[in-house]
Every structure is written in C-alpha cells, then in structure tokens.
Amino acid sequence: MEEKLMSKKKPSFPVNERFNRYLAKYNRNTRIPVFYDDLLRFSGSIVVYDQHDEDTFWVRCYYPDHERIEIDNSLKKVYTILHSDGSDDSLEWLNVDAIDYCTFGNSKPFRIKVRNILNDSFTYFYVKKADASRLYGLEFEHLLSPHRINFLVYKDTLIEAHIAGIPGDVFIEDHLPECDLRAQTQIAKQFVKFNERCTVRLLGDMRSYNYVVIPTHDFDHVEYQIRAIDFDQQCYEGKLKVYQPQFFKENYKMVKLVSEKLEESSIEQYRKEERSLLAKRMINTKSRYKELIRCMINDHVSTKENVKELRTDLYAFSKDMKFKRASTMGQILRTALDFVKRNYENVNMQRMLE
C-alpha cells in the first residue's frame, strides 16, 4: 500500500530566511556547540537489538578517544540548553551513555542517551538535519495539537526532545490484545481523533511506528492518548490518503478496532470534537499561527505535481473552490484549516442566535 501512496524518497528542504526569523522570535533558533555532520564522523558501530533479539535499525556509534570527549561535552551542553537554562552547573553530573544512529527512513537521526549520575535517571534527545517541512510539522504540532513540542534549530542542525510512549507497532502487537473492552473502546476513540487531527492539518505518513500510544493511570483505570513522533511528512505528498492514518496497512488492527467498537454516530461525534478543539487552538494562538502559516505560504516544501494532486483531491473531498486556487502547500493547509475554523464559528454563531 505504501509504495502506491508514498514517494520513494522525500527530499530535504532548506529553512529560508523568513522562517528562520520566525523560529528566532519564538526561541527555537539558538546557538549549539555540535552539528549533525560532527556526529557522522564515528569510526565504528554495532547493531542495537531489542529485547526479542530483533534488529531495531539503530546502530551504536563509537568515536576515536580524542574526539569522544569533545563530542560528549558538546552533547551534554546541548542537553542543558534543551531542558534547562544552558548553564554549565550540572554538566559534571551528566553522562552520555550512548550515541545511536538510525539506518532506516529519510532523516537518519542520531539518538542521544543522557544519564544523571546522581540518581541514575536518563532521557533521550535526537540530532537531525534541519528540514523545513519537518520544522513546520513540529511547529504546527505545538500550536494545534493537545501536546507541546520541545526542539531547537541552529543552521542545518535540529535538536528534538524525546517523546515518551509505547511505539504504535509495539503497542498494537504486544499490548492491544491484553486490553479490556473499556480500554479498547477508548483506544478506538483516540485513533479516530488522531486520524482526524492528522488529516485536517495534513501531517502524513502516520504508520504505526511513527506515533506512540501513551497510557496514563487515572484512579481505577488507564486512559490512552495517541501522539505523533515523526513530522517529516508535513504537507509534502500529493495523495490525500497519505494524511489519513486509516489507510496504512500497519494501522489495520486499529481501524478494525474502530469498526468493531464504535457506532458511526460516535465516530462522527469524535471527529467533530477534534475539529472543534483544533479550531479553538487556532483562535487561541491566532497571532503566532498567522505568522507561521504566512511563512509556509511563501515557502516551497513540496513539488508542483504534489501541490496540484493534493488540491484536486481536497476539492473533490470538500467542494471548496479555494483549494483550486492554491499554488503552494501553505495555501492548501491554510484553506483546510480555515474550512474547519469557519464551520466552528458558524456553529457557535447559530447557537448564540437561538
């Protein structure tokens, strides 16, 4: 299914000056002491296996001794900039336990494991190439989803905080079969809302390994959320189905769960809820959202062919003539989001007049 839906390889798009100014204004753009290319100078690596002795597509990197000390110090500094005030006070209590390199996918990220030696707690962050479409995806996620995103950009390097949760493919295989009826119904609801959120804001390629399921214990039961972790496919592909997680075979069991546990009326209710929440977030972040969408309207993060195909698909889906006049992915996304916001405002107006 994916070969028909997705391009074989998405190119990386540079961050233009206007978008850079936006990132600097909102404290995303800051000087960091290490670049993505610096980490590529590893001298050897070994495969990282999971608990079932299966290849994870990550390799653990090793560096010459004279370089490892400098790289470790730089990465610890990056950690303090990302999670604190960037001061050197806590550097002596931090240790870089591992530098892993992903051999799978477009972005080829590095995953850095940093441990606090005082209490043995640890966390991860990622070092990636700064791709404009990914940065737009991160910013729109921060503004329009229920979740906040922590990342930094400096020149051609992106530092991205780890998003904790159970990888979707692992959850579907190992945890979903153990869930009781109540939990399954709630997970089905969350998948409907997640599917709607991705579709409306045109975040593509949400195959099961590109999102996490987050269980939260609440009194006598567990609540679940589904959260995207990969934003590489923000407004790039031309096919509308790429932006609808329900059409990827990796999500088949989730889709089946929705059809088994939810009535059509409930599905429509949850879709409406998610669109309303998205519209509220647009209104609440009005100034920043407008700056961001203007950046994207004046940027190029896809091909002319993909723009033409997506606007045709969206016109066929919505019958909104504004899609036909869109010439960039930014204009298409604005039209899609304005469509949702306009409907929300119309419903509110009708309610006030009753």
Side-chain angles (χ1 to χ4, degrees), residues 98-250:
I99 302 174
D100 297 336
Y101 177 67
C102 184
T103 58
F104 177 73
N106 277 331
S107 58
K108 300 288 194 298
F110 285 92
R111 180 178 62 194
I112 316 301
K113 181 180 179 182
V114 178
R115 180 169 53 89
N116 185 316
I117 61 178
L118 293 177
N119 56 26
D120 214 33
S121 66
F122 63 87
T123 189
Y124 298 94
F125 68 86
Y126 299 86
V127 182
K128 305 176 180 180
K129 278 283 189 181
D131 169 42
S133 57
R134 180 184 294 277
L135 294 175
Y136 282 118
L138 287 163
E139 269 297 293
F140 281 117
E141 178 76 2
H142 184 76
L143 297 182
L144 303 181
S145 85
H147 313 289
R148 303 283 71 82
I149 291 283
N150 188 13
F151 71 92
L152 300 170
V153 187
Y154 183 55
K155 296 185 178 179
D156 66 347
T157 297
L158 165 66
I159 307 297
E160 201 175 313
H162 177 65
I163 298 172
I166 304 169
D169 52 345
V170 175
F171 182 87
I172 290 169
E173 200 63 35
D174 298 343
H175 298 266
L176 188 57
E178 306 302 320
C179 291
D180 61 23
L181 180 60
R182 184 192 182 282
Q184 289 180 4
T185 303
Q186 201 211 25
I187 293 162
K189 169 188 173 180
Q190 291 301 322
F191 186 79
V192 170
K193 293 168 79 72
F194 177 68
N195 190 81
E196 188 70 11
R197 191 159 64 244
C198 292
T199 303
V200 172
R201 53 159 287 204
L202 300 179
L203 176 62
D205 192 20
M206 281 300 112
R207 287 174 277 190
S208 56
Y209 48 78
N210 286 332
Y211 60 81
V212 292
V213 180
I214 306 170
T216 305
H217 291 267
D218 183 25
F219 295 109
D220 59 346
H221 66 279
V222 179
E223 296 284 331
Y224 294 89
Q225 285 188 315
I226 300 176
R227 183 174 181 183
I229 59 171
D230 193 327
F231 304 91
D232 182 56
Q233 287 287 348
Q234 175 69 55
C235 293
Y236 173 73
E237 293 287 351
K239 292 182 175 64
L240 179 57
K241 286 184 177 180
V242 172
Y243 304 102
Q244 298 171 293
Q246 70 193 72
F247 288 108
F248 287 101
K249 68 178 183 181
E250 290 87 350

Side-chain angles (χ1 to χ4, degrees), residues 20-137:
N20 252 323
R21 289 198 300 270
Y22 168 93
L23 293 167
K25 179 178 179 178
Y26 292 102
N27 299 313
R28 300 296 201 186
N29 205 327
T30 187
R31 185 181 294 274
I32 54 176
V34 66
F35 293 100
Y36 177 88
D37 287 346
D38 295 330
L39 300 182
L40 286 174
R41 299 199 304 264
F42 55 89
S43 56
S45 64
I46 59 170
V47 175
V48 177
Y49 295 96
D50 65 15
Q51 59 185 352
H52 304 297
D53 290 326
E54 294 182 0
D55 190 345
T56 61
F57 300 109
W58 290 86
V59 296
R60 187 141 298 162
C61 302
Y62 297 96
Y63 297 82
D65 289 344
H66 66 281
E67 288 193 13
R68 180 67 196 238
I69 295 173
E70 182 182 350
I71 287 173
D72 279 12
N73 288 335
S74 296
L75 290 173
K76 288 190 286 186
K77 181 69 174 178
V78 167
Y79 173 87
T80 64
I81 296 171
L82 186 66
H83 291 289
S84 185
D85 60 1
S87 66
D88 295 343
D89 299 348
S90 60
L91 292 183
E92 63 179 309
W93 312 118
L94 300 176
N95 188 69
V96 177
D97 280 6
I99 302 174
D100 297 336
Y101 177 67
C102 184
T103 58
F104 177 73
N106 277 331
S107 58
K108 300 288 194 298
F110 285 92
R111 180 178 62 194
I112 316 301
K113 181 180 179 182
V114 178
R115 180 169 53 89
N116 185 316
I117 61 178
L118 293 177
N119 56 26
D120 214 33
S121 66
F122 63 87
T123 189
Y124 298 94
F125 68 86
Y126 299 86
V127 182
K128 305 176 180 180
K129 278 283 189 181
D131 169 42
S133 57
R134 180 184 294 277
L135 294 175
Y136 282 118

